[in-house]
């Protein structure tokens, strides 16, 4: 087990190194002079040149690359072109709302998805299964921003139950969380159903029924416990994907998170900020994948790593 | 020969509905601009944000343009975006996957580690990174989404190649002295296309969705292009006055993705060799 953790941690670090290298070189492929972008078109060539020098842009690319890593290792992600404040500060402020949104979205997805999936498996080949699976298919297909706009149209503008945008009270969470989480509840419902269907065909379920246990006990104690293993791992993996989805939902609901910051930064050509956001979200992604990998062993004692 | 597959397809009525809608979509993409009552940019005087009526089935937008016509014009853009982004992804993925799977060794290590790295950046974020380099715009979104979904193809192709290259007919071709290129094109490629086609169908839906999402946040198609995501972005400002501005482009987008997804799903059921028996 210890060996496995070390090996996986090492692999994660390698991937992170690869991601940051890729991002570094991609961002340096962006046409145009960052110093010029920062100072605007009316700046004199002398000012641009002195800024280039102070930013180290005249150094060889490899030197810049190593300096970038040195800085990242010390937690220095550079300064925003737009605000000239440290990128790290801005991200620290914005990461909270995004994490809240992501976890709330996944929580909702798990609650709805697991219940729907279990329902579909328990009532296999009945109209209940058909309806649940059809709704799940729709859930996978409706874009999160379309769903969000429809919710806004009906619940915020027509019924006036919810605020249209912003962040603060629990009401602000309702529409963004549903828009973000609905897709994943559909995915989780499909996985839960197929996992449960497989498990309900196992011998030990037949034994449990044969010894006279009630259907409820068979379902919850015997089937669900085992059926949830793939669901939990996949939910973990999708939590990482969901982080990417916040970009659109945050823009729609003016949610003060990282995703919206990423879009704003691209439109403003704020490259240090873009670089840092992608690095932060990808790190979250790699970290979650690492934890999911470890969780296999805890959830299913039959899995051995060596 | 295809009876078994046809019976599987026929078993679900929803498949016909989805196939019908996709056919309608393709028809609209081809001939729609000629059939639409107005051009995409024609402003009808005196009818700004009018609700749906017999003259304007989907109502009009903030500049008095006929929304029905704009949705129809947008169909072509959506279809072209989805298909070309997927084509880029499939082509790049095929090249990488074939090299990695067929030649193995160092090629395999380098390509697959690169793929791992790409896979550890969420797809839409990877697309956004590429847009940061190329700049916002419709064509750049297509390229970005193409590159963004390339790693999935690389993985699938490589996996299939690894299985196919051990087959007797490949060994036979090699024994006959055929060169690698011919073996790949004549023997390997035709035998790995099943999973690639299934993945491509499912990725078209994702590409349509992501392209619309990027246009929606302002990184893709720019107004006055009648792209559905861009139209929805414009609609946001008029949600209080005009529900139709959101509902029709949004509905078109959702139905499109839904029917492609349903088709992709049944295609997977039919073509996936594991479910044959």
């Amino acid at each position: 087990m210890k060996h496995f953790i070390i090996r996986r941690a090492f692999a994660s670090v390698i991937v992170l190194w690869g991601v940051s290298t890729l991002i570094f070189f991609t961002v340096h492929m962006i046409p145009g002079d960052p110093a010029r972008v920062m100072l605007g078109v009316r700046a004199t060539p002398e000012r641009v040149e002195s800024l280039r020098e102070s930013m180290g842009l005249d150094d060889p690319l490899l030197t810049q690359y190593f300096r970038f890593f040195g800085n990242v290792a010390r937690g220095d992600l550079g300064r925003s072109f737009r605000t000239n404040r440290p990128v790290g500060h801005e991200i620290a402020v914005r990461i909270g709302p995004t994490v809240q949104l992501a976890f709330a979205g996944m929580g909702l997805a798990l609650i709805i998805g697991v219940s729907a999936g279990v329902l579909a498996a328990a009532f296999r080949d009945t109209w209940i299964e058909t309806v649940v699976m059809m709704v799940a298919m729709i859930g996978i297909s409706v874009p999160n921003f379309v769903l969000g706009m429809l919710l806004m149209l009906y619940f915020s503008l027509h019924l006036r139950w919810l605020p249209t945008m912003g962040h603060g009270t629990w009401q602000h969470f309702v529409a963004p969380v549903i828009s973000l989480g609905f897709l994943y509840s559909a995915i989780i419902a499909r996985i839960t159903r197929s996992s449960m269907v497989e498990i309900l065909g196992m011998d030990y379920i037949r034994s449990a029924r044969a010894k006279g246990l009630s259907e409820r006990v068979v379902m919850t104690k015997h089937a669900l416990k085992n059926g949830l293993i793939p669901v939990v791992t996949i939910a973990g993996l999708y939590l990482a994907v969901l982080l990417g989805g916040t970009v659109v939902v945050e823009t729609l609901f003016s949610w003060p998170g990282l995703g919206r910051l990423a879009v704003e930064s691209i439109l403003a050509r704020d490259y240090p900020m873009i670089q840092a956001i992608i690095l932060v979200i990808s790190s979250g992604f790699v970290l979650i994948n690492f934890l999911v990998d470890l969780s296999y062993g805890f959830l299913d004692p039959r899995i051995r790593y060596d | 020969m295809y009876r078994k597959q046809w019976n599987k397809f026929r078993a679900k009525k929803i498949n016909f509905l989805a196939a019908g809608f996709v056919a309608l979509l393709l028809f609209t993409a081809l001939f729609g601009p000629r059939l639409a009552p107005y051009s995409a940019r024609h402003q009808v005087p005196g009818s700004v944000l009018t609700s749906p009526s017999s003259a304007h089935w989907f109502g009009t937008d903030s500049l008095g343009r006929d929304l029905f016509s704009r949705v129809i014009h947008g169909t072509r853009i959506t279809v072209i975006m989805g298909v070309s982004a997927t084509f880029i992804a499939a082509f790049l993925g095929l090249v990488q996957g074939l090299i990695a799977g067929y030649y193995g060794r160092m090629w395999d290590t380098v390509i697959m580690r690169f793929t791992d790295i790409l896979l550890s950046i969420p797809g839409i974020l990877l697309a956004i990174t590429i847009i940061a380099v190329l700049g916002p715009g419709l064509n750049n979104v297509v390229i970005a989404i193409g590159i963004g979904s390339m790693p999935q193809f690389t993985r699938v192709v490589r996996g299939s190649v690894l299985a196919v290259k051990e087959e007797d007919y490949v060994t036979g071709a090699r024994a006959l002295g055929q060169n690698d290129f011919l073996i790949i094109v004549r023997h390997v490629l035709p035998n790995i296309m099943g999973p690639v086609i299934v993945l491509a169908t499912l990725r078209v839906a994702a590409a349509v969705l992501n392209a619309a999402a990027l246009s929606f946040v302002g990184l893709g198609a720019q107004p006055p292009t009648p792209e559905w995501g861009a139209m929805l972005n414009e609609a946001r400002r008029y949600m209080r006055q005009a529900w139709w501005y959101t509902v029709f482009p949004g509905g078109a987008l959702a139905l499109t993705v839904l029917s492609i997804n349903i088709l992709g799903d049944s295609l997977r059921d039919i073509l996936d060799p594991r479910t044959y028996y």
Side-chain angles (χ1 to χ4, degrees), chain A residues 14 38 60 67-68 152 247:
Chain A
I14 298 280
M38 215 169 153
R67 188 168 49 220
F68 166 72
M152 212 189 247
V247 171

Side-chain angles (χ1 to χ4, degrees), chain A residues 14-15 17-19 22-23 26-27 29-31 134 137-138 140-146 148-150 152-153 157 160 164-165 190 240-241 243-245 247-248 251-254 262-263 266-267 271 274 277-278 281-283 285-286 289, chain B residues 14 113-114 116-126 128-134 136 209 212-214 216-219 228-229 232-233 235-236 239-240 242-244 246-247 249-251 253-254 257-263 265 268:
Chain A
I14 298 280
V15 167
W17 166 76
V19 170
L22 189 72
I23 293 167
T26 311
V27 169
M29 271 161 53
I30 293 175
M134 199 56 230
M137 192 71 201
I138 294 172
I140 288 176
S141 305
V142 178
N144 50 20
F145 59 98
V146 173
M149 287 178 86
L150 293 177
M152 212 189 247
L153 212 55
L157 297 173
R160 295 178 189 278
T164 48
M165 45 188 59
R190 283 162 64 123
V241 182
L243 271 178
V247 171
V248 178
T251 306
L252 171 61
F253 290 100
S254 305
V263 174
I266 288 188
L267 292 173
Y271 304 131
I274 300 169
I277 293 171
I278 294 167
I281 295 187
S282 304
S283 309
F285 202 87
V286 172
N289 282 340
Chain B
I14 189 90
R113 287 302 81 77
F114 177 62
D116 282 347
I117 289 169
L118 288 184
L119 280 171
S120 60
I121 306 176
I124 194 153
L125 212 64
L126 184 57
I128 284 183
T129 317
I130 298 165
I131 291 172
V133 178
L134 301 175
L209 211 151
L214 289 172
F216 176 75
V217 296
L219 298 177
W228 295 342
L232 284 166
N233 189 19
R236 278 169 71 195
M239 281 179 81
R240 272 174 217 282
W243 56 267
W244 53 90
T246 301
V247 168
L253 180 60
V257 179
L258 179 65
S259 47
I260 303 175
N261 266 338
I262 292 175
L263 270 192
D265 247 24
R268 179 174 50 194

Side-chain angles (χ1 to χ4, degrees), chain A residues 75-80 85-94 273 276:
Chain A
D76 176 8
L77 294 167
R79 274 173 184 279
S80 161
R85 291 216 309 257
V87 165
H89 287 197
E90 192 89 12
I91 288 182
V93 173
R94 298 281 203 126
M273 190 64 101

Side-chain angles (χ1 to χ4, degrees), chain B residues 132-171:
Chain B
V133 178
L134 301 175
L138 197 58
N139 295 337
N140 295 344
V141 160
V142 170
I143 297 171
I145 292 174
I147 298 176
S149 51
M150 167 185 81
Q152 272 109 349
F153 282 93
T154 310
R155 263 200 176 172
V156 167
V157 170
R158 172 186 174 267
S160 312
V161 172
L162 285 182
V164 167
K165 93 172 171 182
E166 301 305 327
E167 296 283 344
D168 289 342
Y169 53 81
V170 174
T171 320

Side-chain angles (χ1 to χ4, degrees), chain B residues 62-147:
Chain B
S62 52
L63 296 174
R65 295 170 299 194
D66 181 50
L67 266 179
F68 181 62
S69 304
R70 282 179 69 75
V71 169
I72 286 184
H73 282 276
T75 311
R76 177 179 281 185
I77 299 176
T78 301
V79 169
I80 293 176
M81 281 196 313
V83 171
S84 38
T86 309
F87 189 81
I88 293 173
F91 178 76
L92 296 175
L94 269 170
V95 172
Q96 292 189 347
L98 281 168
I99 294 175
Y102 190 82
Y103 291 103
R105 294 166 187 260
M106 206 190 74
W107 286 108
D108 193 29
T109 313
V110 171
I111 292 176
M112 293 325 287
R113 287 302 81 77
F114 177 62
T115 302
D116 282 347
I117 289 169
L118 288 184
L119 280 171
S120 60
I121 306 176
I124 194 153
L125 212 64
L126 184 57
I128 284 183
T129 317
I130 298 165
I131 291 172
V133 178
L134 301 175
L138 197 58
N139 295 337
N140 295 344
V141 160
V142 170
I143 297 171
I145 292 174
I147 298 176

